[in-house]
Amino acid sequence: SNVSVSDVSDYGDGRDLLVNFKRADDERYISQYRILVVKNGDAGRFDLNDANAVRSSNYTAVTPNGANISKALASGARDVDGDAIRNGVAYRVFILSVGTGSYAGTNALSSYSPSITLSGNVNVDPATNVKAADIGDNGDGRDLQVTFNRAKDESNIKGYRVLVVE
């Protein structure tokens, strides 16, 4: 239960997707959890039969360990359709609990996670050589002159803000 996802890196693949979920209350008869990444548009009709039919190359298996699970996927992780996980695609994640022993075949599917679309985070270069000077005697902000060198790359900068702190 409580399946959640977050974008934690900038590799452009499965390593960017961190999946968290609460373990089953009783894991004695669970052999593994399968992390199933489903395209957002398909999540509403994805069910237990679909989950059971997913090929082993298209899910991430996690062994129960008595604790809640937090797992970043591998670089080669794929969604249930076999497509590589990548930026710009909206996904939802399901967890399939797989029964073992006399409970084999009694799998259970979680509700899906909130939607996530992975993206590259943009780095912004800072302004440099920031200087402040007192240039007047008005007793207010007009006395303060601020100069700085612009960022090396301004392509991701909408504007500059000058913050004056005591």
Side-chain angles (χ1 to χ4, degrees), residues 15-150:
R15 294 173 288 180
D16 296 354
L17 185 58
L18 178 68
V19 178
N20 294 291
F21 61 93
K22 182 180 178 288
R23 70 177 185 86
D25 291 334
D26 184 356
E27 294 183 317
R28 288 180 295 170
Y29 303 107
I30 296 176
S31 64
Q32 65 180 216
Y33 297 109
R34 294 178 184 169
I35 298 172
L36 304 168
V37 180
V38 178
K39 291 178 185 77
N40 193 51
D42 297 333
R45 58 185 172 271
F46 189 81
D47 63 17
L48 181 59
N49 288 330
D50 297 325
N52 285 328
V54 174
R55 296 171 41 130
S56 62
S57 58
N58 298 341
Y59 63 76
T60 299
V62 179
T63 302
N65 62 9
N68 293 334
I69 306 293
S70 181
K71 174 80 174 164
L73 304 186
S75 61
R78 300 194 167 278
D79 68 20
V80 296
D81 298 323
D83 298 325
I85 294 171
R86 63 185 189 282
N87 288 349
V89 177
Y91 299 107
R92 292 188 187 264
V93 174
F94 292 82
I95 306 300
L96 181 67
S97 299
V98 179
T100 187
S102 62
Y103 290 90
T106 60
N107 300 346
L109 186 64
S110 73
S111 299
Y112 55 72
S113 72
S115 180
I116 187 168
T117 302
L118 301 175
S119 64
N121 296 321
V122 176
N123 291 326
V124 176
D125 293 326
T128 58
N129 201 26
V130 179
K131 295 180 183 171
D134 183 355
I135 60 163
D137 292 321
N138 298 305
D140 59 26
R142 294 176 291 174
D143 296 349
L144 183 62
Q145 179 185 51
V146 178
T147 61
F148 59 90
N149 294 341
R150 66 180 185 85

